[in-house]
Amino acid sequence: MTVYRSQLNSLSSGEYPVDSKWFERIDRTIDLLEEAARTRDERQAHAVAALEPVEAAARDKAPRKVPDLPAPDVAALLAITQGAKLPRNLLTQQMYVVTASGTRIPYSQMQRLEEHGLVDRDTSHHVTAGQPVTLTDTGRAALTAPRSTSAPGTAPVPRPGTWPAAAPARR
């Protein structure tokens, strides 16, 4: 399209004499420009149609709002990043997550993490063999999200005898 626009620009610059051949060249260039625009529009429609399912899948898997997690949940997520399985004990029927480092995470905590959408387990494996547990995109985002170092609204209390001394409370 740029080539045909440049050609039209050149033809309309006054460089060429205006005669019947000039009009034919302009008509031919306009026809070629219209054909190029139709081709571009068709290809754009095909590209949009091809990208629709990809964008829909990306929207479905987009990380949700990251919850503010307590320290034990963050520790559990960090342990799961190395690899984890959810087996059921054949004797006691208890379920727990065993990580690659040997850490055991209670099933109740695993359920809580699953409810928040932070972890996912592969249910195609049988529980007695152990279902692989992985972090979701939201879980990865929760690990990389900035955290507050203290509870909101609390200020660190200075140790007694440190300088500068805290100002006495006013009444």
Side-chain angles (χ1 to χ4, degrees):
M1 287 190 50
T2 305
V3 171
Y4 302 126
R5 285 181 33 215
S6 298
Q7 191 173 5
L8 276 176
N9 221 5
S10 173
L11 288 171
S12 65
S13 68
E15 181 180 334
Y16 301 101
V18 177
D19 56 1
S20 61
K21 291 191 184 251
W22 181 78
F23 283 113
E24 289 173 14
R25 281 184 76 184
I26 286 190
D27 285 340
R28 189 171 51 240
T29 305
I30 290 174
D31 290 341
L32 290 171
L33 183 63
E34 288 173 347
E35 184 180 333
R38 273 193 300 276
T39 304
R40 180 205 59 201
D41 292 343
E42 288 172 5
R43 288 182 181 169
Q44 181 181 6
H46 287 292
V48 166
L51 290 175
E52 276 293 321
V54 174
E55 289 178 351
R59 276 192 302 271
D60 293 342
K61 291 191 173 202
R64 295 185 285 173
K65 185 177 181 299
V66 178
D68 191 24
L69 298 173
D73 287 348
V74 173
L77 289 176
L78 283 171
I80 290 172
T81 58
Q82 300 170 5
K85 282 193 173 190
L86 175 71
R88 173 181 287 156
N89 188 312
L90 291 173
L91 296 174
T92 63
Q93 298 299 312
Q94 289 182 335
M95 293 174 61
Y96 47 84
V97 176
V98 179
T99 66
S101 64
T103 307
R104 288 185 182 223
I105 300 170
Y107 184 62
S108 58
Q109 187 176 14
M110 163 68 182
Q111 287 177 319
R112 188 172 58 248
L113 294 173
E114 249 183 332
E115 286 173 8
H116 288 299
L118 301 172
V119 295
D120 190 30
R121 60 180 161 157
D122 185 3
T123 55
S124 65
H125 293 78
H126 198 272
V127 179
T128 54
Q131 295 178 339
V133 177
T134 57
L135 291 181
T136 62
D137 292 337
T138 307
R140 285 186 207 89
L143 284 177
T144 58
R147 285 181 193 53
S148 61
T149 56
S150 62
T154 61
V157 178
R159 292 186 329 225
T162 59
W163 185 85
R170 290 185 162 185
R171 291 186 181 198

